[in-house]
Amino acid sequence: MRLISKKTDYAIKAICFIAEAKGRVVSVAELIREFDMPRPFLRKILQILKKSGILKSYKGQDGGFTLAIPAREIFVANLIKIFHGPIKLSRCVFKERLCSDVKTCALKVRIDTIETRVARELQSINIESLLK
Amino acid sequence: MRLISKKTDYAIKAICFIAEAKGRVVSVAELIREFDMPRPFLRKILQILKKSGILKSYKGQDGGFTLAIPAREIFVANLIKIFHGPIKLSRCVFKERLCSDVKTCALKVRIDTIETRVARELQSINIESLLK
DNA sequence: ACAAAATGATACCAATATGGTATCATTTAC
DNA sequence: GTAAATGATACCATATTGGTATCATTTTGT
Ligand code: FES
Ligand code: FES
C-alpha cells in the first residue's frame, strides 16, 4: 500500500530536474546521468507526462523535454492520478444488498473521510515546493 | 491504491458479525450464509485472525469462532497490519547517494506526515464503533 | 544526401501482490 | 464411528506494477 510508486517517484525526480534547468531542453540521456533510473522505463514515463500535458518534448538531435506548465501548477496528486487513476483508497466489496445502508455505513463514512483528507493534502504539494 | 483490501473488508465484516453474536460460537457456514464470501478464502482469513489473537476458535462439531478480545480493542489499523504489514504509504526508491539529504527531503517529509496521520486515524476506528 | 541523436509508438515480458482453490489432517459432539 | 467443524499447507489465477525491446519519425549538423 503506497501512495508514491516508482513511476510517480521517478516522475517527480525527473520533473524537478527539468524544472531546475529553467527552460533548457533536458534529454533522457542527461537525466539518467543524474539519476539511476532504467532508461526505457524513464522514457515511457516521460512520454506519458508529455501526453498528459505536464511536459513539452522536442524531437531530433539536441531534443528532450521542458515543462509545459509552471512548476507551481504541477501537483503530486496530478502525477498519481496520471499513473494510477483517481485516488480511491477504499472500495467497498459489498454491493447494496449486503451493506444494510451504504449511505450511512460507518466504515465507509470513516474511510471516505480519510481518503478525502489524503487527496487534499496530495493536491497541496506542488513541484516548486520540492525544488532546492 | 486501497486502504481496505478484500481480505481486510471480509475480516471486518466477519468480526462484526461474530461480535454481534455476543459470545455465541459462530461457524464459517453461518458467516457465508450471511455474507457472499468464497468459503475457502474466508476460512483462510479467519485462521490468520485466530493466529493473530483476534479470534478464538473451537474445533469439532458445533465449532467455530468467538472474539478473543473485546470489540472495542480491535482496530482497523490492526487488521490492515495483519494482512498487509505495517502501513507504509511511501517508500523512497532513491538511496542515500541520490537524495541530497534524506533527513530533510521535502517530499519524504510531506508524505511521511500524511502517512502518520492516516495511520493514526485508522488506529482510531475500532470494531465496536462499526456495530449496528 | 546522409548519419547521428533524440523522441513516438507499441508490443511484450517479469516480478509482485492480491484473490482464491483444493486437499488432507485433526478435533469434537452426538 | 460418523459427521461437522477448524488447522495446515500447497497450489493456482488475476491484476498491478516495473521494466525491456524494437522500429518509426523527427531534427541537427556535415
Ligand atoms: S459495507 Fe460497504 S458501504 Fe457498508
Ligand atoms: S528522494 Fe527519497 S528521501 Fe528524498
Side-chain angles (χ1 to χ4, degrees), chain A residues 1-3 88-89 121, chain B residues 1-3 88-89 117:
Chain A
M1 191 172 42
R2 274 175 303 164
L3 287 179
K88 274 273 156 224
L89 289 86
E121 302 196 39
Chain B
M1 191 173 42
R2 273 175 302 163
L3 287 179
K88 275 273 156 222
L89 289 85
R117 219 170 284 174

Side-chain angles (χ1 to χ4, degrees), chain A residues 83-97:
Chain A
F83 294 111
H84 307 282
I87 296 169
K88 274 273 156 224
L89 289 86
S90 71
R91 174 170 67 184
C92 180
V93 298
F94 292 99
K95 316 299 173 209
E96 305 70 36
R97 85 175 185 77

Side-chain angles (χ1 to χ4, degrees), chain A residues 91-95 98-109, chain B residues 9 13:
Chain A
R91 174 170 67 184
C92 180
V93 298
F94 292 99
K95 316 299 173 209
L98 273 169
C99 182
S100 47
D101 188 351
V102 179
K103 288 279 186 195
T104 60
C105 172
L107 179 61
K108 183 166 168 37
V109 166
Chain B
D9 204 343
K13 296 295 179 308

Side-chain angles (χ1 to χ4, degrees), chain B residues 1 51 93 114 122:
Chain B
M1 191 173 42
K51 281 187 189 162
V93 297
I114 296 175
L122 290 172

